[in-house]
Structure formats: C-alpha cells, structure tokens
Amino acid sequence: MGPVGAAVRAAPVMWRRAILAMLFGGIAAAQPSPVIRVDVKLVRVLVSVKDSIGNHVGSISRDQFHVFDSGVEQDIAVFERQTVIPLSIALLVDISGSTAKDLHYEIDSVTHFLRTTFGEGNSDDTVALYTFNWQVSLNNGFNRNASRMERSLREVHPEGGTSLYDAIYLAARDLERRDGRHVIVVVTDGGDTTSTKNYHQALESVQMSDTVMYPILVMPITNMAGRNIGGENALTTLAASTGGRVFLPTIGAQLDAAFAAILRDLRTQYLIGYYPKELPASRSRFHPIRVELPRPDLRVSARSGYYGDSSAERNSR
C-alpha cells in the first residue's frame, strides 16, 4: 500500500471522504471535457435544368448553383453532373375498373419503358411493380426482369375503385429503405376514390423517402367535362413538390413519349448534397429548399423540401 492509501485508511471517516473527493476531483479535472456530437444528415437534392424551350442542360458548374434551406444559403458538399447513382423505380399501375379499355396499350408502353431502362442505364438500376385498384399489390419486388413484370401485368383484371394515395404512400415507404436514387412513376387515369391515406400523408411519405415522382395521367377523355380536374391538380402538385413533373398523354405514341421523357430526366439529373447549417428557429419539421441559378433563361426542378428536426428537437440534443 502506498503512502496516499495509508493516509486515507488512517484518517477519520469525515477526513477520509474529503481526501477521496479531492483525489477523484483531481482525476476528473485532468480528463478532457466530453464532446457532444450531433449527427447532421447529408441532404441530397436531385435537380433537373432545362432551357426556355425545354431542352435539358447538363453543363452547369457547381459554383453556379445556389441552394437555400429554410431561407439560408448552404455550402454544397457533394456535386455530380449527370449522376449515375443507381435508380430504384417504383412503377405504380392503376388497374381500377375505369382502365379496362386501354390497359393493354398501357402495358405495351410500360414494357418498352422497362426494357429501355434496363438496357441503357446503370446495371444496378431496379424496378418494382405495384398495381392498385381498391387495394394495393406488390406484384414484383425490385429486380431487373422486364419479362416477369410484363407477365404480371398481363394477368391482372381491372376492377373496383382507385386507391392512388395508398399506393403512393406504400411505395414511398418501401423506397425509403433502399440506397441510391428513388423514383415513383404512376400510371393512372384519374383521381383517388378509395384510399385510407389522404393527399397530405402521401406527399409526406414521398418527401420523407427523398423520392422524385412522375405521374402519367392517361387522358382517354380530352374534353373538360369528362376530366377529373381535381385529380390532375393533386398529381401535378405532388410531382412539382418532389422535383418531378406530370404528363397528360393519350394512349399510344404520346404514352411512349412520356416514358421516354422521364428517362431523359433521370439520365441528366444533377446531384447536390449539403449539411444543413445556421437554420432559423422553427416549430416545423419541414425544411423548405430552394435551388437557384443566376441565368433567368433556365428552369430548375427540385424537391420543395424535406422532413428533419425542428429547432426544439435540435436544441434538446
């Protein structure tokens, strides 16, 4: 036993406690102060840029982009022009009763889209096939087998209502667990009629999963009296909020052109990433994003925001 230990044992109880407190206090003081680390998540934004006549522009440099999170400009940490990060595409096909007449045309276009996707893109690109009427079915999980998905579509029987928001919600939840870029392509002829989820829940699910959405609203009826204007507006807003866009083709060549345009968008996307900094106090978990370019002749498409921590949650860490 050393002299310090002997002194502690020989001292009265009160003094013994005082000596131990001094000893352990000195040891604690000698240790470095603990560092509290906050895990700041990289926010990824997929961006499409087009000129005034709709042509894709793939030559924009990193320093020309300005990204704002909750009104505060951010430092770009990741930048890729025409990113080749693998795609996970959730393909949602409406098989409600109203699609019966034109579904075989849609299947032909879908099959061509699948074969082109797998033939031209990254070898790790995958597609999952969902069909929906009053219920949502995952016909084929994420894979690269266009023939298998075509067979699944040829076997369906159109009937019932349209659970569009349920399909979007469930597909986005599946995408959230996957790496790479997330995309939802939904082929439908109208609005929602039988979902348990609503528009806002579907939108939040898409935003939470960092998904770009491309609705293809097949228009067998072109006059205003027969169109579902409410459904069109909802799908248009969903697409714009995620950095995608809506298509309103008729069947045949226009439908094929819509699928081809989606692939052009996906092959020419910019990937921008940043770590959020200096965000203002807010009770909302939704962080609005704005992407700007100095050239007024260019049009930028990117998601409108993401869900993260509110300022109260950040301060409680």
Side-chain angles (χ1 to χ4, degrees):
M1 181 182 297
V4 174
V8 171
R9 290 179 60 85
V13 173
M14 181 180 298
W15 287 101
R16 196 181 303 166
R17 290 174 180 167
I19 293 170
L20 290 172
M22 290 169 59
L23 287 171
F24 286 110
I27 294 172
Q31 299 295 323
S33 300
V35 177
I36 300 175
R37 300 187 182 277
V38 178
D39 182 19
V40 180
K41 182 180 179 181
L42 177 73
V43 176
R44 301 189 315 167
V45 186
L46 294 169
V47 181
S48 295
V49 180
K50 296 179 182 178
D51 62 20
S52 58
I53 59 175
N55 294 321
H56 289 86
V57 180
S59 57
I60 308 299
S61 61
R62 175 188 189 136
D63 61 319
Q64 291 179 281
F65 283 98
H66 298 276
V67 183
F68 298 84
D69 186 325
S70 306
V72 179
E73 186 164 7
Q74 303 295 312
D75 296 327
I76 296 175
V78 175
F79 180 81
E80 292 183 18
R81 186 185 293 114
Q82 297 186 10
T83 180
V84 294
I85 292 176
L87 292 163
S88 290
I89 302 174
L91 179 59
L92 282 51
V93 179
D94 184 350
I95 59 167
S96 60
S98 59
T99 68
K101 181 170 67 72
D102 298 314
L103 184 59
H104 64 288
Y105 297 110
E106 296 176 15
I107 293 172
D108 290 342
S109 292
V110 165
T111 302
H112 180 68
F113 168 73
L114 291 170
R115 296 189 186 282
T116 305
T117 300
F118 298 144
E120 296 180 353
N122 189 310
S123 61
D124 292 324
D125 292 344
T126 57
V127 177
L129 173 65
Y130 300 75
T131 55
F132 63 96
N133 43 27
W134 75 87
Q135 61 185 355
V136 182
S137 299
L138 174 59
N139 302 71
N140 303 98
F142 288 95
N143 70 91
R144 292 180 53 81
N145 192 324
S147 297
R148 184 188 304 164
M149 283 183 268
E150 181 183 5
R151 287 196 298 270
S152 296
L153 284 171
R154 300 288 182 191
E155 294 170 356
V156 300
H157 302 285
E159 60 180 337
T162 309
S163 293
L164 173 63
Y165 296 146
D166 285 353
I168 294 170
Y169 179 90
L170 292 171
R173 294 288 296 270
D174 290 344
L175 284 166
E176 191 172 1
R177 296 189 287 268
R178 296 184 61 82
D179 295 330
R181 290 181 287 163
H182 301 160
V183 180
I184 289 178
V185 177
V186 55
V187 183
T188 182
D189 68 349
D192 187 282
T193 60
T194 55
S195 281
T196 59
K197 302 297 182 183
N198 59 34
Y199 167 86
H200 298 288
Q201 290 170 308
L203 174 59
E204 180 173 345
S205 183
V206 173
Q207 294 279 20
M208 289 285 288
S209 63
D210 186 13
T211 296
V212 181
M213 187 169 165
Y214 291 96
I216 299 178
L217 184 55
V218 180
M219 299 297 297
I221 301 174
T222 56
N223 61 73
M224 296 297 290
R227 289 167 56 175
N228 186 329
I229 303 301
E232 289 180 34
N233 291 338
L235 288 169
T236 300
T237 306
L238 274 168
S241 298
T242 65
R245 53 180 172 137
V246 70
F247 296 86
L248 283 75
T250 57
I251 57 174
Q254 289 189 20
L255 185 55
D256 288 338
F259 279 115
I262 291 171
L263 282 178
R264 283 195 298 272
D265 277 11
L266 298 177
R267 302 303 181 212
T268 56
Q269 284 179 323
Y270 295 84
L271 173 65
I272 296 175
Y274 67 91
Y275 295 96
K277 65 169 189 177
E278 301 177 4
L279 301 183
S282 172
R283 295 181 180 180
S284 174
R285 291 176 52 245
F286 185 75
H287 299 249
I289 295 174
R290 190 172 76 256
V291 180
E292 295 182 352
L293 287 171
R295 289 174 52 182
D297 61 313
L298 298 181
R299 187 173 77 254
V300 176
S301 297
R303 59 174 167 154
S304 62
Y306 67 97
Y307 283 87
D309 293 338
S310 66
S311 55
E313 289 170 324
R314 293 196 301 270
N315 293 336
S316 66
R317 291 179 177 179

